Amino acid sequence: MEINDLTPAEERVWRAFTTGADVDFREGTDEDAANGGGWGPERTVRAAVLRSLLLNGPQQDGEIASLRVAGARVTGMLDLQYATIDHPVRLRHSYFDEIPRFHAGRLRELNLSESALPGLTAQAMRVDGVLRMTRSRFRGPVRLGGTQITGSLYMESAHVDAPEDATEPALQLNQVSVGADLWAPGLRTRGQIRLNGATVTGSVNLNDARLGNPGGAALDAETLGVEGDLLIRHAEVRGWIGLRGARIAGRLDLSYSQLSHPGGSALRASSATIGELWLRRGGPMEGGLNLRRAQLDVLFLEPETLPEQVQLGGLTYTSLALHEPADRRLPMLERDSDGYVPQAYEQLTAAYRRIGDDRAARLVQLAKQRRQRTTLPWYGRAWGHLQDATVGYGFRPLRAGGWLLSLLAIGSVAYSLHHPRPLKASEAPDFDPVFYTLDLLLPVISFGQEGAYAPDGWYQTLSYALVVAGWILATTVFTGVTRTVSRQ
């Protein structure tokens, strides 16, 4: 392309390219690029001119050529597919009539901040630096699948609005590789964000984001790998967040966020490996919470954030914060849609034991036995109710002592009023109603009274009842003690 074929606006851009000088067509710093469709020829640049500059533009010795344009209207398609661009590309505050194409291209830097575009096609692109789309507005899908960015991806306060009849995700970041951070606080999307298989060496920041895809995936990030934190604080998410199989070395922080996916799981993190999961101060989720087979170092969970339905089968965690009484944590286990999940009770018990709260651990184990009882046949439930009423399944041994003292008092009074007859009067020891009752109640210890005397009538029936009660109490206490010792 010859310089004589250029308009005055294009010639201005052409001449500035050789030295990397800025070309700013704006009439004020508060201009909205979304209104760029009405800008006149004095600030209109053809995409073909930009392409020619970037591929075969003039060079000047001692200068670093670069494209630095602001406030331009770009007409036609900027097609740089498969191109290798050695110059920084900065098209800020600009309006694009057609979707730019960078598919499989290689660039040093791409900056589209504060611009308005009908979309972006840049799958498999490589950026040896940073990709900036800060406060950009996209009226269609942003396709970045498979892109490699050695630096950071900046999308803070960007807007991506997919058409209502769109059949593809609004923001496609699947298989993206980011060498530093994915920085997008304040991001606004209408449609799905796809982050499947992406890897981020730094952190992902989606604080204050507004993600909307009601009834579908707002953020689908299966097998996402993040070496730092995934921050989604103060966010509003309409649709589900999918993190199945994700690996987040740092913190997944959903504090102060509102998650809504009625009729399904709002957060799906099954089989994920996460350093810390923070669910706090956001109010209860609308929808379910799926943490099946997830592995966490720290579960920072406030009971108020729990939805009505959870799935916790196979979930493992090292510690549970904040420290809450057992009765505040147990509803979490009772809401599991899979019903009775023994391993979930064991995890909660272990968490309490690690911080030395043995009382809370016993209460969790008691709740486990009661929940298990509901799964048993009628005779198992009957036996369970008896153990619960007598000694709290062995977790309330003082209750057993109370029962034993009560039965000892009843038996002692009864047999003191009516002594049983001796079997061999010449050999029988002096009768003692207290020790006779103890002989009946304690199945192992013998004081020589039971074998020497034989009650009759109603008193014989009482002796049978005391023997049975003694065995029940002793067996239950022994089971509870054995369970406690085996856990330690």
Side-chain angles (χ1 to χ4, degrees), residues 346-396:
E346 293 300 326
Q347 277 292 302
L348 184 56
T349 299
Y352 278 122
R353 289 195 177 279
R354 274 190 287 268
I355 61 174
D357 193 343
D358 289 336
R359 181 180 181 277
R362 289 194 299 271
L363 290 176
V364 174
Q365 284 294 299
L366 177 58
K368 175 188 174 184
Q369 295 297 324
R370 289 171 173 171
R371 186 78 183 277
Q372 183 187 30
R373 186 174 67 209
T374 63
T375 67
L376 301 176
W378 69 267
Y379 50 85
R381 292 195 301 272
W383 173 244
H385 280 294
L386 183 59
Q387 291 187 85
D388 194 359
T390 53
V391 292
Y393 285 98
F395 294 104
R396 292 177 174 173

Side-chain angles (χ1 to χ4, degrees), residues 86-151:
D86 294 325
H87 318 292
V89 180
R90 300 176 184 175
L91 292 165
R92 302 173 64 242
H93 300 280
S94 296
Y95 181 89
F96 290 75
D97 283 352
E98 298 185 33
I99 299 174
R101 301 174 69 179
F102 295 93
H103 176 75
R106 181 164 185 170
L107 295 87
R108 296 286 297 277
E109 177 189 348
L110 179 59
N111 190 337
L112 300 172
S113 296
E114 288 94 12
S115 294
L117 306 92
L120 178 65
T121 298
Q123 300 98 322
M125 177 177 64
R126 179 180 174 88
V127 180
D128 296 320
V130 299
L131 173 57
R132 293 184 183 274
M133 295 186 288
T134 301
R135 291 181 291 279
S136 295
R137 299 185 182 182
F138 296 92
R139 303 184 298 278
V142 175
R143 305 178 181 95
L144 290 168
T147 290
Q148 298 182 50
I149 305 168
T150 61

Side-chain angles (χ1 to χ4, degrees), residues 441-464:
L441 287 173
L442 302 179
V444 178
I445 301 174
S446 175
F447 295 100
Q449 294 280 320
E450 180 184 4
Y453 292 90
D456 53 17
W458 179 87
Y459 295 96
Q460 187 176 23
T461 303
L462 175 61
S463 69
Y464 294 156

Side-chain angles (χ1 to χ4, degrees), residues 428-451:
D430 294 337
F431 181 76
D432 189 308
V434 174
F435 283 96
Y436 181 75
T437 306
L438 282 174
D439 255 356
L440 296 174
L441 287 173
L442 302 179
V444 178
I445 301 174
S446 175
F447 295 100
Q449 294 280 320
E450 180 184 4

Side-chain angles (χ1 to χ4, degrees), residues 256-322:
Y256 304 96
S257 293
Q258 299 176 4
L259 308 185
S260 176
H261 183 58
S265 295
L267 176 61
R268 307 175 181 184
S270 58
S271 302
T273 303
I274 302 171
E276 300 180 13
L277 173 57
W278 287 37
L279 294 170
R280 56 191 289 269
R281 303 296 178 90
M285 294 182 192
E286 295 182 38
L289 171 63
N290 185 349
L291 294 176
R292 285 174 173 163
R293 302 175 300 282
Q295 299 180 39
L296 315 175
D297 288 335
V298 178
L299 177 57
F300 197 119
L301 176 65
E302 291 182 346
E304 293 79 10
T305 65
L306 281 173
E308 290 300 318
Q309 189 176 85
V310 298
Q311 294 172 310
L312 304 176
L315 168 67
T316 60
Y317 49 88
T318 303
S319 62
L320 181 62
L322 299 163

Side-chain angles (χ1 to χ4, degrees), residues 33 44 60 81 96 105 142 187 198 204 219 312 382 395 446:
T44 299
Q60 183 173 327
Q81 293 190 96
F96 290 75
V142 175
L187 176 68
V204 178
L219 174 61
L312 304 176
F395 294 104
S446 175

